[in-house]
Amino acid sequence: MRVLSIQSCVSYGHVGNSAAVFPMQRIGHEVMPVHTVVFSNHTGYGAWGGQLLSGDVVRDIVRGIDERGGLNDVDLVVSGYQGGNDIGDAILDAVALVKERNPQAIYACDPVLGSAKSGCFVAPEVQTLIRDRVVPKADLISPNQFELGFITGTDPHTLEETLASVDQVREVGPSTVLVTSVFRPDRPADTIEMLAVTGEGAWIVQTPQLPFKRNGSGDVASALFSSHFRSSGDAASALALTAASVYELLVKTYEADSPELLIVEAQDAFVAPTQTFEVRQVR
C-alpha cells in the first residue's frame, strides 16, 4: 500500500512524519513523506531551529510526485498538526488530487488541537480550520477525547457520552473515528482506553496507563491505526494491533527513561507486538 503522509518533520526525536513514517514502513507500506515544517526538534523544548514551509512548497512537492505518476496508486493520505490555513488548504488540495487519481483512497486526519490537561494550544484560525473545513473532508479522524469534544461542542466523559459525540462528528463527514485516549470515570485505576467506531459498530481496548507522556505517541497511533484499517477494513483488528504496538513502544521508552520515543529500538513491536489486549465490542 502506498501512503502520502503530510506532516511536520524534526531531526532530533520523533513527532509528525518523524514519528509516523517509519512505523508504517516497518509494517510494509511505501510511504511518501511531505514535510510541512523542518525543525531541529519539537517545540515543547521551548527552543528550536529550522523553518516552516509554505502551502505553495507543499503543493509543489505534491505536484512533482503526481508528475511521476506517484499519486495514481495512493490508498491513504495521512495528516497531523496543521499550522494554519495556508498548510490546511494545501493538504486539502493534495487530498482532492489523490482522490481524483484514485477514488478509493481515503484521507485520515489527526485533528491536533490540544488535550484535557493543556487545553486548546492552537491558534483560533487553526481551530476553525480543523473543525469547519478539514474534519468534514476526512474519511477517518483520530482525535483524543478532548479534541472530540472541541470539534463537536460537547464535553464527553462516560463511554455513552463519548459514543454520542462520535456519532455527532460522523454525521458531518468522517465515517471512521478513533478516539486515542478515553478516560471514563468508571475505568479501573491506572488504565487508558482507545475507542474505534465505524458504521459497522464500536470497539474499545484498555491498556495500562504509564505514569509519563512523550510527544509523538499520538502520531504513531494515528498512523498505525489508519494504515492497518485501510489495509484490512477491520476496525477491531486495527485497534488491537495499534494498542499493542503503541503500548510496547511506550514501555520501552519509559523503562529507558528516554526523553524521546524509542521508535527504532521498538520497531519489532510494530510488526509483532509481544503482548495483546482484549478488544471489546460496545455497540
Side-chain angles (χ1 to χ4, degrees):
M1 184 173 77
R2 187 179 292 271
V3 181
L4 182 68
S5 183
I6 311 177
Q7 302 193 55
S8 59
C9 172
V10 297
S11 296
Y12 174 79
H14 299 284
V15 299
N17 271 337
S18 304
V21 171
F22 178 65
M24 289 191 287
Q25 290 174 327
R26 189 65 179 82
I27 60 177
H29 302 307
E30 182 66 47
V31 185
M32 300 184 295
V34 176
H35 305 322
T36 57
V37 307
V38 182
F39 284 170
S40 56
N41 51 269
H42 71 70
T43 58
Y45 284 100
W48 62 92
Q51 292 186 353
L52 295 162
L53 302 183
S54 70
D56 284 341
V57 169
V58 170
R59 287 187 186 88
D60 197 39
I61 294 170
V62 173
R63 185 182 306 115
I65 295 171
D66 187 43
E67 288 171 354
R68 310 283 84 73
L71 299 184
N72 295 347
D73 57 349
V74 168
D75 289 304
L76 173 65
V77 181
V78 177
S79 75
Y81 172 75
Q82 300 184 22
N85 286 333
D86 185 40
I87 290 295
D89 287 337
I91 292 172
L92 290 177
D93 287 347
V95 169
L97 185 56
V98 167
K99 290 193 171 190
E100 184 180 322
R101 301 292 183 257
N102 177 17
Q104 303 306 311
I106 71 169
Y107 171 37
C109 168
D110 181 5
V112 179
L113 293 165
S115 67
K117 194 170 191 178
S118 63
C120 201
F121 53 60
V122 300
E125 170 192 335
V126 178
Q127 298 170 24
T128 302
L129 167 72
I130 295 292
R131 183 187 61 230
D132 299 341
R133 297 175 52 214
V134 175
V135 167
K137 294 290 187 181
D139 302 289
L140 185 160
I141 61 170
S142 51
N144 60 38
Q145 200 170 20
F146 168 83
E147 291 162 340
L148 174 66
F150 187 90
I151 291 166
T152 56
T154 61
D155 186 23
H157 294 281
T158 68
L159 177 59
E160 292 72 21
E161 291 169 346
T162 304
L163 285 168
S165 297
V166 169
D167 289 343
Q168 187 173 327
V169 78
R170 289 183 69 245
E171 289 179 358
V172 304
S175 57
T176 301
V177 177
L178 172 72
V179 187
T180 56
S181 53
V182 178
F183 296 99
R184 291 186 294 143
D186 58 341
R187 76 190 190 281
D190 301 320
T191 64
I192 187 171
E193 294 168 315
M194 287 198 291
L195 173 72
V197 183
T198 72
E200 298 179 351
W203 297 266
I204 199 164
V205 63
Q206 186 178 97
T207 67
Q209 182 182 11
L210 298 170
F212 85 134
K213 181 185 182 300
R214 288 295 179 267
N215 292 77
S217 57
D219 300 324
V220 175
S222 298
L224 287 175
F225 180 83
S226 300
S227 53
H228 283 314
F229 179 70
R230 182 64 184 89
S231 294
S232 69
D234 185 337
S237 171
L239 183 62
L241 287 168
T242 300
S245 296
V246 172
Y247 179 71
E248 189 167 327
L249 166 64
L250 290 173
V251 167
K252 285 185 179 293
T253 303
Y254 177 69
E255 290 178 344
D257 194 25
S258 170
E260 294 286 345
L261 292 174
L262 297 182
I263 284 181
V264 175
E265 293 86 340
Q267 62 182 282
D268 291 343
F270 306 134
V271 179
T274 58
Q275 195 168 347
T276 60
F277 299 96
E278 178 188 7
V279 171
R280 181 167 57 93
Q281 187 162 8
V282 292
R283 191 169 67 189

